[in-house]
Structures are given as C-alpha cells and as structure tokens.
Amino acid sequence: MLDFDHCWQALCNRDPCFDGRFVFAVHSTRIFCRPSCPARRPKREGVSFFMHTHEAEAAGFRACRRCSPQGKSLAEQLDELVIAACRLLDESTEPMTLDQLAARIGLSSSHLGRAFKARIGLTPRAWAAARRRERLEKSLPGAESVLGAALDAGFGSTRGAYQNLANLSPAQRRRKGAGETLRYAISPCPLGLLLVAASDKGICALLFGDEQQALLDELRSRFCAAELVPDQAGLGEWLRSIVTQLEEPTRAAQLPLDLRGTAFQQQVWQALQDIPIGETRRYGELATSLGSHPRAVARACASNPVGLLIPCHRVVGANQSLTGYRWGVDRKAALLESEREESGA
C-alpha cells in the first residue's frame, strides 16, 4: 500500500532511491514518470500515484520519454557504465587517462569523472591506483622480490609501490609484517564472540562471530602481513568497556582507534560516528550529506573494520529495511533494538 505523502515528498526531492517503487502520473499531460524525473514538478492535486507501470497504463497514462519509467533510469545506466569503466581499468595492462577511459565508455570525460566519483568515492585514477596497491599487497607475502611483485601488480617500478604509504612498506609486507605487531583478545558478549585487535595507535579491528577460529581467520585476512599476538590481559579493560556498551548502549566506549582506509572511507566512517544512539540514517540520506552516491556509501560501510565503535549498523535501506550487515542481519537488528530501548527512541 502506497503512502501518498511519502510518495509526494520523494517526487519533490526527485529521490532516485524510490525509482522502481512507484510511478506518478500527471493528469494534465496524461504522462507517468519515475520519482527522479527531472521534468518540472506538477501540482499536488494534479498527480496520481501507482505502484506499477502497468497500473498507470491501464488508467490511460503513457510513459514519459524523458525518464523512461519502464526501462532503466539514468542513474542505473550510469551505474552500469561505471562498472564497465572499473572493469576496463582492471583489465588494462597500461595506465589509462580519463580521456582514454571516457572514449571507451562513450561519455565525456567530465561526465564520467563525476559519475565515477559519486559512485565509487574516488576518481578513476585514484581507484586504479588503489587496485594496483591491493594486487601488490596480496602478492607480496609469496613474492620472490618486491620488484617482481610491483611489476606483476601493474607498477612500472618499485618507486610507485613505495609512494603514499599508509602503514607498512612493501618490503615489510613481503617479510610477513616485520615492523608491525598487532595484539588481539577474544571475549564472549551478548552477540556471541567479540574480537578486538590493536596496534600501538589504537583499535584497528573489532569483529563479531560465533567461532574463535573464524574470527582469527578474518583478522589474518585483513592483516596478513602483521604479527598477531594474543594479549587477553592487556586488552581486558577495552574488552570490558565494549561489552558494557553492548549491554548499556548509552555508555559508549571512548577508545582510541587506528582506522585504515581511503580518504572517502574515513569520511563515511566519521559520518557514522555522528549518528546519535537510537537513530538511523538511510544510505541515500548519508550519501546526500556527503555529496556522494548510496552505493559508494554502502561499500564504505561494508569495509568498516571496527564494528560497533564505528556504528555502520545505524545505516538502513530506503524503506528502513535492515539490508546487509557483515556480521549478520540478526546482530544488526539486536544492536538497533537495544539502542532504541536504552535511548527511549
């Protein structure tokens, strides 16, 4: 059953998150459109709402040629083009300029650049560089030399591999993390088991699970180059603070964090920390506040290595659905319910 007030608000906002959920028909023109249609906004009293396009057609309305409500929206078409651009960058053996990439995709350079950054959170050049570094980090532990791994990953030399380092150098990564030690501890909690890992700077991972070995495997996959050392006693106070927050959400744990991500991911994670306890935000709302795209925000949330303390569980779908959560939708539901009850929301 459609809520006409919500539909009208989505129409006024030209909210693409509602595309596919309903169409609106304009009585004066006998045309029906998708909510994000860029055409001039009609008067409220001259509009009808339909859940499906065939219902609008049965009522005597025809599809808008501008927004094509029966086909893919402009946003969906751009999504597909950006995915194709990512694939081209991945498969290219040589670095591609924005002009070269745009010519292959069939868009202007400026249009592709804006669409790419809105959806991915990075420029095509920065995304390609991140993918090269990702390939490098995966191959370094088993590589015979840093040079060989760098060339296989797409770098022209070892110089590029050593530039803009976030934590460990390529040589340190190849030596299985010599130079960095991470302490970790595991504890029972209301959501099952809780693993906390910390560097000298602060907590770099907070994971939930049901089995200790699975938690350790996930930690190793994230920090395959580091030396992992159990430290139940040293991290005991932090564990107790986190468990207290799970039991009493208003007593938020104030702990140092060592967050490792791109500039955009860090921006999203900061925005997550600004969501009050007991409240949620839609991916679309968060994306609008950051000048980005819901899918880019969703990817940044999925990459969050520090559950609970970076509250990605407070982001929900367009219709307030729980959508996904890397540690299980049941845990997300439990966290939100506990926070609502504690805050009185």
Side-chain angles (χ1 to χ4, degrees):
M1 189 70 178
L2 291 176
D3 184 322
F4 293 157
D5 289 334
H6 285 172
C7 290
W8 174 249
Q9 192 59 49
L11 184 162
C12 292
N13 295 335
R14 295 186 173 88
D15 191 342
C17 294
F18 285 83
D19 286 352
R21 295 175 58 189
F22 73 88
V23 294
F24 69 91
V26 182
H27 301 168
S28 60
T29 61
R30 308 302 298 173
I31 287 175
F32 68 90
C33 306
R34 62 176 73 243
S36 64
C37 183
R40 185 176 64 180
R41 187 173 68 192
K43 294 181 179 180
R44 176 67 179 86
E45 61 271 17
V47 171
S48 294
F49 297 100
F50 299 93
M51 188 173 293
H52 304 291
T53 57
H54 66 80
E55 294 173 348
E57 288 180 313
F61 296 95
R62 59 185 176 83
C64 173
R65 293 183 179 179
R66 188 170 184 182
C67 67
S68 300
Q70 293 173 308
K72 293 179 180 177
S73 67
L74 177 60
E76 290 171 329
Q77 295 175 40
L78 286 175
D79 287 346
E80 293 183 353
L81 290 175
V82 168
I83 291 171
C86 290
R87 190 177 297 115
L88 283 174
L89 289 171
D90 256 351
E91 296 173 352
S92 177
T93 57
E94 298 292 334
M96 296 180 68
T97 66
L98 180 58
D99 288 342
Q100 291 172 330
L101 184 62
R104 294 284 300 275
I105 294 298
L107 292 176
S108 68
S109 299
S110 58
H111 196 179
L112 175 60
R114 288 193 301 270
F116 196 101
K117 188 168 185 179
R119 285 155 176 78
I120 305 299
L122 299 169
T123 64
R125 179 179 179 180
W127 187 85
R131 292 287 289 172
R132 281 199 304 273
R133 182 162 295 282
E134 182 181 327
R135 291 193 294 269
L136 174 66
E137 292 184 355
K138 286 182 178 179
S139 63
L140 276 170
E144 294 183 0
S145 68
V146 173
L147 176 60
L151 294 176
D152 290 341
F155 289 95
S157 66
T158 56
R159 180 181 179 183
Y162 278 89
Q163 289 176 336
N164 302 317
L165 299 178
N167 298 296
L168 303 181
S169 71
Q172 288 172 325
R173 288 199 179 277
R174 192 175 69 86
R175 293 197 301 269
K176 305 283 185 182
E180 181 174 57
T181 299
L182 299 182
R183 299 176 296 133
Y184 73 88
I186 299 176
S187 170
C189 74
L191 299 180
L193 291 179
L194 163 71
L195 181 148
V196 170
S199 68
D200 293 337
K201 297 178 181 178
I203 293 176
C204 56
L206 195 162
L207 315 174
F208 295 111
D210 298 313
E211 299 179 0
Q212 181 170 320
Q213 189 57 51
L215 286 171
L216 288 173
D217 289 344
E218 183 177 353
L219 182 65
R220 289 193 182 97
S221 69
R222 278 192 165 276
F223 302 99
C224 60
E227 180 183 358
L228 304 179
V229 177
D231 187 8
Q232 203 72 26
L235 295 173
E237 186 176 343
W238 287 3
L239 278 173
R240 286 189 289 274
S241 296
I242 294 166
V243 172
T244 297
Q245 179 175 337
L246 286 169
E247 295 171 343
E248 303 175 58
T250 54
R251 297 178 60 183
Q254 303 296 324
L255 302 174
L257 302 179
D258 179 11
L259 299 178
R260 309 177 183 195
T262 66
F264 177 73
Q265 287 174 332
Q266 298 270 6
Q267 187 182 18
V268 173
W269 297 341
Q270 180 58 56
L272 295 177
Q273 292 176 282
D274 294 336
I275 303 175
I277 292 174
E279 296 184 16
T280 59
R281 296 289 185 273
R282 293 181 301 167
Y283 288 106
E285 291 175 324
L286 207 57
T288 299
S289 68
L290 297 173
S292 185
H293 189 276
R295 292 190 181 182
V297 170
R299 277 190 291 271
C301 290
S303 301
N304 172 28
V306 183
L308 185 67
L309 302 184
I310 304 297
C312 56
H313 62 276
R314 295 178 191 159
V315 187
V316 296
N319 58 353
Q320 298 296 317
S321 61
L322 295 183
T323 64
Y325 187 56
R326 64 173 302 160
W327 295 291
V329 173
D330 289 343
R331 287 191 175 94
K332 182 172 185 174
L335 284 169
L336 291 175
E337 181 62 25
S338 175
E339 291 181 350
R340 277 194 293 266
E341 291 178 354
E342 187 75 13
S343 65

